[in-house]
Amino acid sequence: MTQVQITIQLPDQVESIEQLEAVIDAKGQQIKPQLFEHQLAFLIQRQKAAAEDVACPECKKKNHLQRLSAPSAKDQIRTYFLCPAAAEVPTLWRLFQLNSGCLADLKALAEANISPGLKQVAIDCAAAWPYRPAQQSIQRLIGVAISHEQIRQPCLQEAVRVEAQEQANFQQAYEPALAETVEVLVEEQPRPKKPPQIEPCERVYLGIDGTLIKARAQNRFMEAKVGIVFSHQLAVVGTNRRRLLNKQCVGTLQSVHQFSQQLFTTARGMGIDNQEQLVILSDGARWINRLAQTQDPKAPLILDWWHLKRRVWPTVRGLPADELSDQERRAWGQQWIDQLWRGQSSQTLQSIMILAPQLGGQPSEKPAQLEERSLLALHQLISNNRAAIIDYHHFQQSGYYIGSALVEKTVDLLVCRRQKLRGQNWSRTGADGLLCWRQMILNDQWDDYWQQPEAA
């Protein structure tokens, strides 16, 4: 351990703690370059002994390498070694490559002008706050003044490494799992329209949802796709409060295919290799239903009751008042709610088909021509999700989740609290990079990642 003693002369006019802190901080900024040069000279001297024992990869000999020094793009001297006995193209070695552990911090400083520790703090703050508030928070908390661009760039650059590492892991787990899924699709019959059977086994839920964030292009939005895989293992953390013990979140702004790979291999990584263990919660979006049917064809699919109920009552209130009284509209709405609660989607569709002609509409109209709160749009929603409308009463009594509160909360924590603030607009790369870090924090993988040598 190297000990450095510093003597600081303080002016007599220091009269408060704030002035004292300012003086010490100014002196520290002056001393920092000298300490850096001293430590750099010490580390380079310590590397000389190791350099003498390095063998050339070309001729396998030692003690004949010539030392060369060349300035880098940032006017820093880097040391190379040249083998005179090598082939026509000589082999150049950077001194930093001799021992990546000793000079890891200095290498990071040379590449990004920010130390690994500060980079970790900067990314952590950027994942929680916008870049400028993160810059101010870092300065207040640890007294380091860096620009918001010095926070943004390492955040995006390191996210690229994380995504590349995750993609390699996904491909490794996805290919054998995909082969099993293809076998199931070939051997099994088409998905039945009847509700799934309840079996006494440990259930694992796969909740999927999406939310729109504003893109940089005017009047354009991008969809952030979010999923959560969780089991029914709860811990009591307070009065009427429970916490999930086993859960993993996934989020991306990339294609549905890439999102499905991440979600599928995340479930595999949690030890879920039986599709019958899964229960998929959906809000009725077509891309979610297609993903479930192609990727987990044997898993039960449940249309979230909250989304279904939320579509019924606005539709009822939108029925023409000159055709139906308030009492008649409430009666129709309560009838549909009772039928859907019991999983009787066919009866609901029949009653809508009876009512629609009386109000001047036909359920056969195309969805693109329908308003969200129209009676025909409700008919289309129920028709598209008949296989996912189950007997909610029965399933709830059997201990199943029938709502998407956990999925909605995951969307809020993963995306909305950071990327849907007032005045924000995003590029796909920038938004996806931040989503990567927030996912890592929510999944309790932050410390594990920064303990890896390649993350230093």
Side-chain angles (χ1 to χ4, degrees):
M1 179 182 296
T2 302
Q3 295 183 355
V4 179
Q5 295 182 354
I6 302 175
T7 302
I8 301 177
Q9 296 181 355
L10 299 178
D12 297 333
Q13 60 270 24
V14 175
E15 299 178 353
S16 65
I17 297 297
E18 290 77 9
Q19 294 180 356
L20 179 61
E21 290 179 348
V23 171
I24 294 178
D25 182 66
K27 294 292 184 180
Q29 295 296 332
Q30 298 175 3
I31 297 172
K32 190 182 299 183
Q34 301 176 10
L35 292 177
F36 179 83
E37 293 176 0
H38 176 272
Q39 189 67 12
L40 177 61
F42 171 76
L43 291 174
I44 292 177
Q45 184 66 29
R46 193 169 65 178
Q47 292 296 314
K48 289 182 178 179
E52 298 299 331
D53 295 331
V54 174
C56 174
E58 300 289 342
C59 62
K60 308 302 181 182
K61 296 181 180 180
K62 299 182 180 181
N63 300 324
H64 72 293
L65 299 178
Q66 299 178 6
R67 188 184 302 270
L68 301 176
S69 297
S72 68
K74 297 184 179 181
D75 297 329
Q76 295 173 338
I77 301 300
R78 293 182 178 177
T79 305
Y80 297 86
F81 293 92
L82 173 63
C83 176
E88 295 181 359
V89 180
T91 301
L92 294 179
W93 289 352
R94 278 179 53 192
L95 174 61
F96 290 150
Q97 293 177 338
L98 297 179
N99 189 336
S100 60
C102 290
L103 292 176
D105 287 358
L106 299 180
K107 177 183 177 182
L109 282 171
E111 292 179 349
N113 197 27
I114 184 172
S115 67
L118 182 57
K119 178 171 67 174
Q120 182 177 348
V121 172
I123 294 176
D124 195 4
C125 291
W129 305 306
Y131 293 120
R132 292 187 185 276
Q135 168 197 358
Q136 298 169 0
S137 299
I138 291 174
Q139 187 169 4
R140 287 196 302 266
L141 293 174
I142 61 178
V144 177
I146 58 176
S147 67
H148 69 277
E149 187 65 20
Q150 287 177 304
I151 299 175
R152 190 181 72 88
Q153 288 296 336
C155 184
L156 300 183
Q157 292 169 2
E158 193 68 25
V160 172
R161 297 190 182 98
V162 175
E163 291 171 359
Q165 177 181 341
E166 290 181 348
Q167 187 64 28
N169 297 335
F170 293 154
Q171 292 295 338
Q172 183 178 2
Y174 186 71
E175 292 177 359
L178 182 61
E180 297 176 9
T181 303
V182 171
E183 293 177 0
V184 171
L185 290 173
V186 173
E187 297 174 359
E188 295 292 330
Q189 297 296 323
R191 188 186 186 94
K193 295 298 182 181
K194 62 181 181 179
Q197 300 296 316
I198 300 176
E199 297 181 359
C201 62
E202 182 180 2
R203 293 184 291 270
V204 180
Y205 295 88
L206 182 60
I208 307 173
D209 203 352
T211 186
L212 297 177
I213 65 174
K214 190 173 182 181
R216 286 184 175 176
Q218 187 175 7
N219 298 325
R220 296 293 299 273
F221 292 85
M222 303 177 293
E223 184 176 23
K225 304 165 187 66
V226 176
I228 177 173
V229 185
F230 63 97
S231 63
H232 199 70
Q233 299 178 8
L234 303 175
V236 179
V237 295
T239 305
N240 297 326
R241 292 188 60 191
R242 304 291 186 270
R243 182 171 64 88
L244 292 174
L245 295 178
N246 189 14
K247 62 180 177 64
Q248 290 287 292
C249 306
V250 174
T252 184
L253 279 89
Q254 302 302 321
S255 65
V256 176
H257 175 70
Q258 291 173 296
F259 173 70
S260 66
Q261 286 187 346
Q262 296 182 25
L263 198 60
F264 195 74
T265 51
T266 297
R268 282 277 176 159
M270 296 174 66
I272 304 168
D273 54 3
N274 182 7
Q275 294 184 18
E276 296 179 353
Q277 289 180 269
L278 284 175
V279 178
I280 303 178
L281 301 174
S282 168
D283 64 353
R286 289 189 175 185
W287 70 269
I288 298 178
N289 294 347
R290 286 196 296 266
L291 187 152
Q293 291 173 1
T294 56
Q295 190 162 273
D296 299 297
K298 299 179 68 175
L301 178 64
I302 297 178
L303 176 62
D304 166 43
W305 172 249
W306 181 80
H307 279 89
L308 182 58
K309 185 178 179 180
R310 188 184 65 170
R311 290 291 297 273
V312 172
W313 286 116
T315 301
V316 170
R317 288 191 292 269
L319 295 176
D322 55 347
E323 299 286 346
L324 298 173
S325 64
D326 291 343
Q327 184 176 0
E328 289 175 330
R329 284 183 290 178
R330 286 195 298 268
W332 279 108
Q334 191 60 51
Q335 175 185 334
W336 296 336
I337 288 292
D338 293 340
Q339 291 172 345
L340 294 173
W341 177 248
R342 289 292 183 175
Q344 300 170 356
S345 57
S346 299
Q347 289 87 330
T348 306
L349 291 174
Q350 291 176 3
S351 64
I352 293 176
M353 293 179 68
I354 293 173
L355 180 61
Q358 301 176 12
L359 303 178
Q362 292 295 331
S364 60
E365 294 185 25
K366 296 181 180 180
Q369 300 173 345
L370 304 179
E371 297 180 0
E372 182 179 358
R373 296 186 178 184
S374 69
L375 183 62
L376 307 181
L378 177 62
H379 181 279
Q380 193 68 45
L381 173 69
I382 298 174
S383 178
N384 292 339
N385 293 276
R386 291 181 65 179
I389 298 177
I390 47 99
D391 187 342
Y392 293 97
H393 176 75
H394 186 194
F395 272 65
Q396 187 183 58
Q397 294 296 320
S398 301
Y400 277 75
Y401 282 103
I402 61 172
S404 62
L406 291 172
V407 188
E408 299 287 343
K409 188 64 176 179
T410 304
V411 173
D412 178 55
L413 293 175
L414 198 60
V415 182
C416 298
R417 294 194 180 186
R418 176 62 180 89
Q419 295 173 306
K420 296 190 72 170
L421 303 179
R422 180 179 299 178
Q424 288 186 336
N425 54 75
W426 299 90
S427 66
R428 190 175 300 275
T429 301
D432 213 37
L434 279 180
L435 201 57
C436 166
W437 295 117
R438 292 186 67 84
Q439 173 183 321
M440 187 180 296
I441 293 172
L442 285 180
N443 290 340
D444 294 328
Q445 298 170 345
W446 178 265
D447 294 334
D448 294 338
Y449 173 77
W450 289 106
Q451 289 174 1
Q452 302 176 74
E454 52 271 15

